[in-house]
């Protein structure tokens, strides 16, 4: 069941992230996504939630009004109209998969003449961090709130979400410059391990929230692919540590 609402009072991506967080915290709300440009929120519910309940969940600076209903519950003996087809997971994750593909390709091309798995993994991890931190840097104000929706540490220590993009940049440079690699690998396992715990919990709870791995510039769903992405980096870090010690 979907409803579209008009929301006024939003001025930036930080506002957008806040509204999504408040709406997604409401019982029976399966997923809430906000379009800042249109000043709209699309809310998917597994049980009808009154408009007044949604209004009360938002701070006073935001005004929510119902715009239209995209779907209704089935009436007795009458089938409801089909819900508009959602994009497939592949389509939703296409930007993320393309970025990972290009990072992997670049890392291979750097070493195809004198192949070395260790060098490939170090450059892959370094480029991974640099590229992903770049997207987070585009919205340093909005990223922390989106990140805190699923990262356990960012949720409890807000400043962690604010410095996280800089942590990624530093780790990327450490891998690319081959500086203190063992420390960078340990930090990678800890940092991505914490995030993976949050991602796993989100998937188990079947919550459909936005992934902040590419900041707020690209709208990505939290899916199994996000879990796999983190796992690849963690496995690489563990393998590299085993080779070093």
């Amino acid at each position: 069941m979907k409803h579209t609402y008009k929301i006024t009072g939003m001025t930036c991506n930080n506002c957008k992230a806040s509204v999504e967080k408040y709406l997604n915290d409401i019982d029976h709300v399966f997923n809430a996504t906000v379009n800042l440009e249109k000043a709209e929120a699309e809310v998917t519910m597994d049980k009808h939630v009154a408009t007044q309940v949604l209004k009360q969940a938002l701070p006073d600076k935001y005004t929510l009004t119902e715009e239209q209903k995209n779907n209704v519950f089935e009436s007795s003996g009458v089938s409801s109209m089909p819900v508009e087809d959602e994009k497939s997971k592949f389509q939703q994750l296409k930007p993320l998969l393309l970025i990972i593909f290009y990072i992997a390709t670049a890392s291979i091309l750097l070493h195809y003449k004198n192949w070395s798995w260790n060098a490939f993994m170090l450059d892959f991890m370094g480029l991974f961090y640099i590229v992903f931190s770049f997207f987070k840097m585009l919205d340093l104000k909005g990223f922390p709130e989106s990140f805190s929706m699923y990262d356990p540490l960012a949720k409890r220590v807000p400043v962690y979400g604010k410095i996280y993009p800089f942590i990624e940049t530093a780790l990327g440079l450490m891998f690319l410059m081959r500086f203190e690699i063992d420390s960078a690998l340990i930090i990678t396992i800890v940092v991505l391990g914490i995030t993976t715990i949050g991602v796993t919990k989100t998937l188990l709870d079947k919550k459909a929230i936005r992934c902040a791995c590419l900041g707020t510039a690209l709208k990505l769903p939290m899916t199994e692919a996000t879990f796999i992405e983190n796992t690849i980096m963690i496995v690489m870090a563990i393998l590299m540590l085993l080779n070093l010690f």
Side-chain angles (χ1 to χ4, degrees):
M1 180 179 191
K2 288 185 181 179
H3 291 287
T4 301
Y5 301 88
K6 274 289 183 183
I7 298 181
T8 59
M10 298 186 297
T11 58
C12 62
N13 280 319
N14 194 31
C15 295
K16 172 184 174 181
S18 295
V19 171
E20 286 182 341
K21 181 179 186 301
Y22 288 122
L23 292 178
N24 277 305
D25 285 341
I26 299 174
D27 289 341
H28 302 298
V29 170
F30 177 72
N31 182 37
T33 56
V34 173
N35 186 311
L36 183 61
E37 290 73 24
K38 293 183 179 180
E40 291 180 349
E42 185 179 78
V43 182
T44 303
M45 315 167 185
D46 58 19
K47 182 179 179 181
H48 180 68
V49 178
T51 302
Q52 188 60 32
V53 174
L54 301 176
K55 289 180 179 180
Q56 292 174 349
L58 298 178
D60 293 337
K61 65 179 290 188
Y62 305 114
T63 302
L64 180 147
T65 55
E66 188 168 1
E67 182 179 77
Q68 66 183 57
K69 294 182 179 180
N70 292 336
N71 190 31
V72 295
F73 287 122
E74 293 184 357
S75 300
S76 178
V78 181
S79 297
S80 65
M81 295 296 291
V83 179
E84 183 180 355
D85 290 338
E86 299 286 347
K87 289 183 178 179
S88 67
K89 283 187 178 181
F90 176 77
Q91 290 175 315
Q92 293 174 336
L93 291 164
K94 188 176 180 180
L96 175 63
L97 297 175
L98 278 175
I99 289 172
I100 293 177
F101 170 77
Y102 279 113
I103 291 174
T105 301
S107 301
I108 291 172
L109 291 176
L110 286 171
H111 305 287
Y112 79 98
K113 288 186 177 180
N114 298 298
W115 182 254
S116 167
W117 275 107
N118 284 352
F120 161 76
M121 287 192 288
L122 287 174
D123 284 335
F124 178 91
M125 296 172 77
L127 291 173
F128 180 97
Y129 276 130
I130 293 296
V131 171
F132 278 58
S133 65
F134 163 76
F135 283 98
K136 295 178 178 70
M137 294 287 188
L138 294 177
D139 187 11
L140 288 174
K141 290 185 177 179
F143 167 74
E145 191 148 4
S146 296
F147 189 50
S148 66
M149 290 181 186
Y150 60 88
D151 185 272
L153 184 56
K155 188 178 296 185
R156 291 171 174 76
V157 186
V159 69
Y160 175 67
K162 294 180 180 179
I163 65 173
Y164 187 84
F166 300 97
I167 293 175
E168 283 198 336
T169 300
L171 288 171
L173 292 174
M174 290 171 74
F175 283 124
L176 293 175
M177 297 173 67
R178 308 299 194 258
F179 175 74
E180 293 292 337
I181 293 175
D182 51 347
S183 298
L185 291 170
I186 293 172
I187 295 172
T188 291
I189 293 172
V190 173
V191 169
L192 293 185
I194 293 172
T195 303
T196 302
I197 291 173
V199 171
T200 303
K201 186 178 186 302
T202 299
L203 293 174
L204 292 175
D205 291 343
K206 296 183 179 180
K207 290 183 179 179
I209 65 175
R210 182 177 62 187
C211 173
C213 56
L214 288 177
T216 59
L218 295 177
K219 183 180 176 181
L220 294 171
M222 178 70 70
T223 68
E224 292 85 352
T226 313
F227 173 83
I228 295 171
E229 161 209 330
N230 279 2
T231 302
I232 289 173
M233 288 287 284
I234 293 173
V235 169
M236 281 188 173
I238 293 174
L239 291 175
M240 290 298 300
L241 277 176
L242 292 175
N243 287 336
L244 289 176
F245 296 101

